[in-house]
Structure formats: structure tokens, C-alpha cells
Amino acid sequence: STLLTISEKRRCIRALKTVKADHAPPQLYTWRWKCSSAVTPRITSHYTICPRDKDPRWEGVEMERFADEADVVIVGGGPAGLSAAIRLKQLANEQEKDLRVCLVEKASQIGAHTLSGACLEPSALNELFSDWKERGAPLNTPVTEDVFSLLTKKYRIPVPMLPGLPMNNHGNYIVRLGHFVRWLGEQAEELGVEIYPGYAAAEVLFHEDGSVKGIATNDVGIAKDGSPKDVFERGMELHAKVTLFGEGCHGHLAKQLYRQFNLRENCEPQTYAIGLKEVGLDYTNPYLSPFREFQRWKHHPFIAKTLEGGNRIAYGARALNEGGYQCLPKVTFPGGMLIGCSPGFMNVPKIKGTHTAMKSGMLAAEAIFPKVTAKDLASETAGLHVPEYEDNLKKSWIWKELYSVRNIRPSFHNYFGLYGGMVYTGVFYWILRGKEPWTLKHAGLDSAQLRPAKECTAIEYPKPDGKLSFDLLSSVALSGTNHEGDQPPHLTLKDDSVPVANNLAIYDGPEQRFCPAGVYEYVPLETGEGMRLQINAQNCVHCKTCDIKDPSQNINWVVPEGSGGPAYNGM
């Protein structure tokens, strides 16, 4: 199998059988759509908010889609999705079984949307490929020293790294995760996995019995105002016996699946951080800017001495799950399952999720394989339900690892804050190793943590010096971000009036600060009276922070046209 160009894939798709688009998924959005009004300027034109069947401009437009069948479809070409694909083909080749595995990835190439620290723990890699060194895996820099510090305004307080603490990185490797993911893609290709970069999974498809049937990729050729262009073309459908969703943190299809199958019924709301540095998204001051905090942090004397004389060559940002054990949803449902950082297997104290993501994909593959290759597909639903995956997950080292550190992150939500959390970790984790007979709770939804602006003090940030700290737009330019300009903004609003009426009025427009890419800004109305929200969707680095932190929960991030977004090179 080889990676095909988009044009080649388009030609291949035209040769596939056609299907009527008569199996639309159950209605997943319950809010009222409002595309414009006499008072509120129109912002959102995406069809998920402004249905096309109510738009006369779409009358007579051909809406048939081409479809293809696979045994397993995987959404997302990250560590989890690629590990699942590799393990499936390893099992198929070992047992001489024919198994078609298709993987779709919204980035233009594998690894282009991957961003991480990254200090890789090789436990799952050792299981997947015992000969990874001989295969040329890009793990070239073993960790030689750990330095853990508490920074004051000007000084550093060393924190001892006691044996057994999860922050100890002995035996791990410093990697550029995008390069590692690209290498995994090459291994998957060699095993016969069909990889389709540049195709964004935009919609979950369902059988008549409600089980997942597969996914549809996004339509292309839609103008910014939501009307069809002359080059409009429907996306394609990929049907499978089982579909794996490995979209990464806060996946937009996973959000739909949570609602559709009530997967979060028995867990706490997920809590997040943004990966500029570890700035938790549960902060309360709406004036805080994660990007500018990051720039200020670089000027600390202990940090600056490392960076001085260097050149800034790249920039990126990504949200990450921090909820851990308490926030894990149900991960299996008829026709599909969740893997990797989509449900949230990150070990927060370690600040690592690649090894757990890979292992979850491998466990999913091992549970799926005997089902999809059986001569008699015994299933109560059209889409296979494989509960064995969740059972095996709970028996694995992932579950043990996440359970042991479950109380560290929520322990920081106490009267003594940071210091109380550090004392808790030092005493209870180091002595009991997570065996304490209680489980602490998180503070709740990150979007609910902001306090009204009138209760907070505005933060004055120093101007960037152009040497250690930089302005936002020049940073975004280094991310390689690019989107087709003439398409509906993929940052959709459920109600266009909410940003000004609620976010600006109560919280002083926090989206213009929590976004690390300058996507949102409030500008004066053309009349000169009042303000409106302007969305610069072309700047979006796909971090999902806006969808998570918006205090009104009015922003719904959906995929843009395939290949759009950042173009990270080994971030």
C-alpha cells in the first residue's frame, strides 16, 4: 500500500459504488439554529448550524455520496490509531487472514497535526515492535537527568525527585513526536494498512438499529457564506464492521458519540490543559492569556539562560486531557470504540499519554480481531459491539497506572492550592503509591470556572522583546497553518448573539485571550456603536481550547476541509 495524493484518491473514489445519503445519523444537536437576525451580525454559516435543506441555494444540488467498505476504519493517524492499525495487520498476517484496515487523517500528511513535549516512555513500543531500534525508530536521545523546580518571581526552589515518583524519567526518550508518528505510519504502510491523509472525518454514520456504520469525510467546495461552489463535491463514506475513534483530545466526533450513547453517564467531566506549557484550563481569571503567560515564563532567569542565543523555529499549541481515572468514559458502543487521548488516557503527573494511547489502540485491535475475522459474525447489532476491549483495558497496566495517580491532579484543588497538592503528592503517593482508600473529585467543567471580569484584576503582560518572547501572530506564522479561505468558518456558534451578550458583557471576551492563535477578536460594528465577534478561522491551529473553555459553551469546533490546519514538522 502507498500513500495516495488527494487527486489520486478522488479518482479512485469515483470508481466506487454510489449510495443514497438516506441513512443520516440521529439528530445530535438540540439547540435552535439562528443564522442571522436584524440585531446580531451573521457569523456562522456552517451547515451543522444552518441546515442546507432550509437553504434555497442548495436546491437541486447533487447530494449522493460514494461509499467503500472495510473491515475496520480508524479515525485519526496519531499514536493510538496507528498502533491499532499496526496490531490488527500484525495479527492478520500471523494468522494469514485477509483484513482491510483503512485509516483517515485530517492533516495533509501523517504527523503534521501532532504536537507534544515529548518525553516518550517506550513500554508500549516495546510490545508493538521489540526490534524498534533495528527498524530505525527516531528515539535517539535518552533522558540523562531530571530537574524539578518551583519557580518564584526571580528564583528557583529545587524539588527533590524521590525514587518512584511518576515524574522520574529514567529510561525514557526525548523525541519529536511528529517524527515518531510519521515512522509509525511507515510501519503501518509496510504491513498493508491503507492510509488516507488529507481526509477529515466529518460525520458519524449509523445503521437503522442505531449502531455505528462508519464515517463520512467532509464535503469540499462550499463558499464562506455557506453556498455551494461550482466545484462542490460530497465527501465519501467509509463503512466498517467496527470503527475506532482516535481523534486525540476533545475530538469533535467523540463529543457526538458521548451524547448519542451516553458514554459519560458514570464519570466526571473531563478537565484539560493547553500544551504551550502546563497552564491548566481550569483557571478562574478571564484576563489570563495562556500564550502570554508562556512568553513571560521564558523570561524567568532559570529558563532564560537555557534559551538565550537560540532561534525560534516553530510554534504550536494543543489541548490535553488532565482528568485521568475519574474522567474516563465508557469506551465501547455498538459499532465502535474510543482509543487514545480521545477518551483521555494521559498520566497527568508523568505528563505522558503516548505510551497509554498506543497501548489502548493495541488492546482495541486484539479485542476486535477475532470478532471481525470470525466466519459467523455473531452480533445483536449491525455494527459489532466489542465490550471485551473495555474489560481488557481494566485488566491492563493502563488502568493500574491511572488509578495509582488518580488523586494527584485533584489534590491541587484545596485551600492551600499548589503547596497543598505538592504535600499530598509527596506524602500520600510516595508512601501509599495510590492505595489510599478514597478518590478525590475534580472541580468540574473547565468552562464553568471563570469568574466575572468585574471580580478579577486585569493582567498587565510585558511586551515581547523579540529574542525570548514574541508576539502572537508571528508565532502562528511559524506553525505553517493554512486553510482554504473561501469556506464556512469551522469554529461554529450555536447562537451568534451569545459572544457579545454574554462573553463580552460578563467576562470581557475571554476567547480573545485563551485562544493561542488569534482566531477570536472583538471589533467595532460598522455603525460605530457596539462590538461584534470576528472569527479569523484561517489562524486556527486545531488545539480545541475554544470549544473547551468557552464559558457559554456556545462554540462547537468542527473539521474544516481536509488538509487544512497546522503543518508541524516534528513538533
Side-chain angles (χ1 to χ4, degrees):
S1 173
T2 58
L3 291 175
L4 303 176
T5 65
I6 292 177
S7 60
E8 288 171 333
K9 283 181 280 188
R10 289 284 183 200
R11 290 196 294 271
C12 293
I13 292 166
R14 294 181 192 281
L16 302 174
K17 64 180 182 180
T18 61
V19 293
K20 297 287 185 180
D22 58 356
H23 48 267
Q27 186 67 22
L28 298 173
Y29 301 103
T30 57
W31 55 82
R32 294 181 179 178
W33 67 277
K34 183 169 69 173
C35 295
S36 62
S37 72
V39 178
T40 305
R42 178 173 173 175
I43 302 173
T44 302
S45 57
H46 199 275
Y47 68 87
T48 56
I49 304 296
C50 305
R52 292 184 287 211
D53 60 359
K54 301 179 184 297
D55 188 338
R57 297 174 299 176
W58 285 88
E59 290 182 5
V61 175
E62 178 59 60
M63 299 299 283
E64 287 185 346
R65 284 197 287 221
F66 298 96
D68 198 5
E69 300 276 350
D71 293 298
V72 180
V73 166
I74 300 172
V75 179
L82 288 166
S83 295
I86 288 168
R87 188 69 188 121
L88 280 167
K89 293 302 287 187
Q90 284 176 336
L91 291 168
N93 294 345
E94 288 169 8
Q95 300 185 29
E96 298 182 345
K97 300 272 189 178
D98 288 328
L99 188 73
R100 188 179 183 205
V101 179
C102 294
L103 183 149
V104 294
E105 163 57 41
K106 63 184 175 67
S108 58
Q109 58 183 345
I110 295 297
H113 286 181
T114 300
L115 180 146
S116 182
C119 188
L120 178 67
E121 182 176 315
S123 51
L125 178 60
N126 289 331
E127 295 180 25
L128 189 62
F129 290 115
S130 59
D131 60 343
W132 56 266
K133 290 183 180 179
E134 290 76 14
R135 289 173 174 265
L139 276 66
N140 304 314
T141 309
V143 174
T144 57
E145 182 183 9
D146 279 306
V147 177
F148 198 67
S149 309
L150 180 63
L151 302 181
T152 64
K153 188 173 182 179
K154 293 184 178 180
Y155 301 102
R156 164 189 172 250
I157 301 172
V159 177
M161 190 67 66
L162 299 173
L165 286 179
M167 295 79 79
N168 192 307
N169 282 293
H170 178 75
N172 297 335
Y173 292 82
I174 297 169
V175 301
R176 297 173 71 174
L177 193 62
H179 289 170
F180 176 67
V181 166
R182 189 185 307 164
W183 176 83
L184 283 176
E186 293 167 356
Q187 308 310 303
E189 257 194 304
E190 290 180 9
L191 289 165
V193 177
E194 297 178 35
I195 298 178
Y196 297 98
Y199 273 58
E203 181 183 337
V204 183
L205 304 176
F206 296 87
H207 289 285
E208 291 183 1
D209 63 4
S211 60
V212 171
K213 186 175 186 177
I215 57 96
T217 62
N218 58 310
D219 298 343
V220 296
I222 304 174
K224 193 170 186 177
D225 64 1
S227 63
K229 301 179 188 176
D230 292 338
V231 294
F232 169 75
E233 192 170 340
R234 285 284 265 165
M236 69 172 292
E237 296 188 1
L238 275 173
H239 303 165
K241 299 169 185 174
V242 182
T243 304
L244 304 187
F245 295 87
E247 304 168 276
C249 174
H250 209 66
H252 88 288
L253 296 184
K255 288 196 309 174
Q256 299 174 22
L257 294 166
Y258 291 147
R259 293 191 292 268
Q260 182 67 25
F261 295 105
N262 202 17
L263 300 177
R264 302 203 68 89
E265 180 182 16
N266 297 313
C267 69
E268 291 187 38
Q270 185 61 263
T271 183
Y272 302 87
I274 182 171
L276 294 162
K277 65 167 182 173
E278 289 298 311
V279 179
L281 286 181
D282 52 0
Y283 63 84
T284 59
N285 189 338
Y287 293 110
L288 187 144
S289 165
F291 173 81
R292 298 184 76 175
E293 290 289 340
F294 178 49
Q295 302 306 312
R296 180 160 63 178
W297 171 79
K298 290 188 289 184
H299 281 279
H300 189 280
F302 181 67
I303 305 300
K305 66 181 182 182
T306 302
L307 301 177
E308 286 170 352
N311 293 316
R312 178 185 56 151
I313 59 173
Y315 169 80
R318 185 68 169 96
L320 53 153
N321 309 84
E322 285 203 335
Y325 176 82
Q326 292 92 319
C327 302
L328 290 176
K330 184 176 174 58
V331 294
T332 65
F333 43 90
M337 51 185 65
L338 303 174
I339 59 175
C341 289
S342 182
F345 292 122
M346 178 175 156
N347 183 322
V348 180
K350 283 186 176 182
I351 321 177
K352 290 176 183 59
T354 302
H355 65 300
T356 50
M358 291 176 67
K359 180 62 175 178
S360 72
M362 294 156 64
L363 289 170
E366 290 163 0
I368 289 169
F369 182 75
K371 298 272 189 176
V372 296
T373 56
K375 292 183 180 179
D376 180 19
L377 289 176
S379 176
E380 295 180 359
T381 54
L384 289 178
H385 188 201
V386 189
E388 291 85 353
Y389 163 52
E390 187 156 336
D391 297 337
N392 295 342
L393 196 59
K394 293 178 179 179
K395 298 173 186 175
S396 73
W397 53 257
I398 294 179
W399 210 258
K400 181 180 179 181
E401 184 174 311
L402 295 185
Y403 183 80
S404 70
V405 299
R406 71 195 183 283
N407 286 330
I408 294 180
R409 175 70 167 80
S411 72
F412 286 82
H413 291 289
N414 67 83
Y415 179 78
F416 299 103
L418 171 67
Y419 300 101
M422 291 179 66
V423 170
Y424 184 96
T425 302
V427 174
F428 287 100
Y429 182 81
W430 192 59
I431 295 174
L432 299 177
R433 292 293 192 269
K435 295 179 181 178
E436 59 266 36
W438 58 81
T439 297
L440 301 179
K441 291 183 176 294
H442 294 286
L445 286 168
D446 291 342
S447 58
Q449 305 306 311
L450 284 183
R451 290 154 48 199
K454 64 182 181 181
E455 299 178 10
C456 301
T457 302
I459 301 173
E460 293 293 330
Y461 290 102
K463 291 184 179 180
D465 66 357
K467 298 177 181 178
L468 295 181
S469 54
F470 305 92
D471 67 281
L472 182 58
L473 293 183
S474 71
S475 298
V476 174
L478 291 176
S479 69
T481 298
N482 184 53
H483 294 87
E484 163 60 45
D486 189 16
Q487 65 174 307
H490 62 283
L491 298 314
T492 70
L493 304 178
K494 302 170 189 177
D495 187 332
D496 286 350
S497 68
V498 165
V500 170
N502 192 71
N503 288 14
L504 183 61
I506 299 174
Y507 302 101
D508 197 47
E511 54 270 76
Q512 60 190 333
R513 287 179 288 274
F514 61 57
C515 172
V519 170
Y520 302 93
E521 58 180 323
Y522 284 92
V523 298
L525 286 167
E526 286 71 13
T527 61
E529 298 181 3
M531 304 289 282
R532 65 178 177 86
L533 179 67
Q534 178 169 295
I535 298 180
N536 306 308
Q538 68 275 13
N539 285 10
C540 179
V541 294
H542 297 202
C543 74
K544 315 288 182 70
T545 301
C546 57
D547 195 310
I548 295 166
K549 191 61 178 175
D550 176 17
S552 304
Q553 285 298 279
N554 187 52
I555 298 172
N556 186 48
W557 192 100
V558 299
V559 290
E561 289 190 4
S563 297
Y568 299 138
N569 180 17
M571 286 287 278

